[in-house]
Amino acid sequence: MKKLLATTFLAAGLLGLGSAASAAECGDVTIANMNWQSAEVLANIDKFILTEGYGCNAELVVGDTVPTITSMIEKGEPDIAPEGWVDLLPDVVNRGLEEGKIVGAALALSDGGVQGWWMPKYIADEHPDIKTIDDVLKHKELFPDPEDPSKGAIYNGPQGWGGTVVTTQLYKAYDAEKAGFTLVDTGSAAGLDGSIAKAYERNEGWVGYYWAPTALLGKYEMVKLDHGVPADPAEWKRCNTVADCPDPKKNDWPKDKVQTLVTKEFADRAGPVMDYLNTRAWQNDVVNKLMAWMTDNQASGEEGAKHFLEENEEIWTKWVSPEVAEKVKAAL
C-alpha cells in the first residue's frame, strides 16, 4: 500500500496533475451511510471532503454493519464503510482482509467504541474515592433504588442488547445483590436515557450500563467506572457474554475496534484519497458533543457534517493536505 501511494504521488508530481487527476483516480465512489447517528455524520463528512476536496463523484448508500461489510467482501461494494464495528463480526472481516477483498484504513474512533458502567461526573467529583465498580458497591446510599431507597440500583439496558447480557453477568460476578443493589430493567433505550436525564435534573446518584459515542454523553457528563481487574478475553467469551453461564468472573469490558474499511479495488485506484482515509480519525468526546448538537437541533447527517467542518477546522485540516483544506473551506 505504501509503495502504491508513493507511486501515485510521484506520478501526480511528475505530470503536474491537480484536482483533475484526483477526480480521474477517484471517480465514482459509494460510501455506506449506516443507520446510527455517529456513522451517519461521518459518512456525510467523508462525502463532503471527497467531493469538494478531491473531486470525487461521491454517493451515499444505505448501510448497516453486517450487510455492508459482507457485501464489500462478496460483491466489492460499497467502496467505503466509514464506521465499521469490526469486533461485531471478526471472522467475516478477517476473511475479507486475508483474501484481499478489503483493506483496513484508519481507526474511525481513535479511542475505540466504549461500553461499561458509568456514573455522573458530579458524583465522581464529590466522592473522589469512588473509581471502580467495587467502590460503587460500598455506597448503596449514593445510588438509591427508586422502588426501595434502602437498596442501591444498577440500571441495565433493554432485553436483546449484548450490553444488557454483560451487565447482568457482571452484576453476578461483582456480588452486587449481596452488596444490597438491585438490577433495574429500564425496558427500552428511551427508558435508559430517561433514567440518566432524570438523575441529572435532580442531581441524584445513578450507576448503570451505557456506551460511547452517544449524544447523551455529549449532553450529560458521565465518568466510566474502572472494572478493577485486567481484561481476560477467554473468560469474556466463555461466560461474561453468555446469558445462561452460571459462574461469571470479574472482568474488564474490552473496547470495540471501530475502523474504516475500504474495498481493495477502490484502495488501488483511490490515490491521495487513501491518504485521507488512512489519517481521518476522531475521538469519543468530539463525536459525543457533535451528536448532542445534532439531537438538540434535530439536524440531519448532512447538517451535522457541515456544522463539524465549520466549527472544528483544527481537527479536520490535519486529515488532508493544505490544498484540499482550502477547497473544502471554499465549498463551505
Side-chain angles (χ1 to χ4, degrees), residues 79-292:
D79 297 305
I80 303 167
E83 191 180 295
W85 288 67
V86 298
D87 292 338
L88 293 174
L89 58 170
D91 296 342
V92 175
V93 172
N94 288 337
R95 175 170 65 86
L97 293 168
E98 285 164 11
E99 292 177 1
K101 302 287 180 62
I102 56 172
V103 172
L107 292 177
L109 282 170
S110 58
D111 47 354
V114 183
Q115 300 183 74
W117 291 13
W118 308 68
M119 65 180 179
K121 186 173 182 293
Y122 53 77
I123 296 285
D125 291 343
E126 287 164 19
H127 302 275
D129 56 314
I130 300 179
K131 291 186 167 63
T132 67
I133 290 174
D134 282 319
D135 294 338
V136 161
L137 297 177
K138 293 173 192 163
H139 293 281
K140 65 180 181 180
E141 76 283 355
L142 295 176
F143 307 95
D145 181 345
E147 302 295 322
D148 180 359
S150 71
K151 293 185 172 181
I154 294 161
Y155 289 84
N156 208 351
Q159 298 307 311
W161 286 9
T164 302
V165 172
V166 173
T167 293
T168 304
Q169 292 297 77
L170 292 178
Y171 175 80
K172 294 181 209 166
Y174 284 83
D175 282 330
E177 188 173 6
K178 198 182 284 183
F181 279 74
T182 53
L183 189 61
V184 178
D185 181 353
T186 53
S188 66
L192 181 61
D193 289 1
S195 69
I196 295 174
K198 189 174 176 183
Y200 242 86
E201 282 153 16
R202 298 178 178 182
N203 207 53
E204 292 174 348
W206 186 96
V207 64
Y209 169 73
Y210 217 74
W211 73 98
T214 46
L216 189 115
L217 292 189
K219 187 172 185 178
Y220 302 117
E221 215 170 343
M222 304 284 280
V223 174
K224 186 174 175 291
L225 291 162
D226 194 291
H227 287 232
V229 292
D232 182 340
E235 188 58 33
W236 183 261
K237 189 174 181 180
R238 179 192 78 85
C239 197
N240 294 113
T241 54
V242 180
D244 55 2
C245 180
D247 60 336
K249 308 288 190 291
K250 294 181 181 182
N251 208 342
D252 195 15
W253 205 308
K255 284 188 177 178
D256 285 298
K257 184 178 180 183
V258 184
Q259 186 175 23
T260 299
L261 298 174
V262 184
T263 61
K264 180 71 164 60
E265 188 199 350
F266 180 72
D268 286 348
R269 68 178 171 83
V273 172
M274 271 314 288
D275 202 37
Y276 162 71
L277 293 173
N278 283 326
T279 307
R280 190 264 295 116
W282 52 3
Q283 293 182 306
N284 275 286
D285 59 344
V286 174
V287 187
N288 289 340
K289 283 175 187 146
L290 175 59
M291 289 163 70

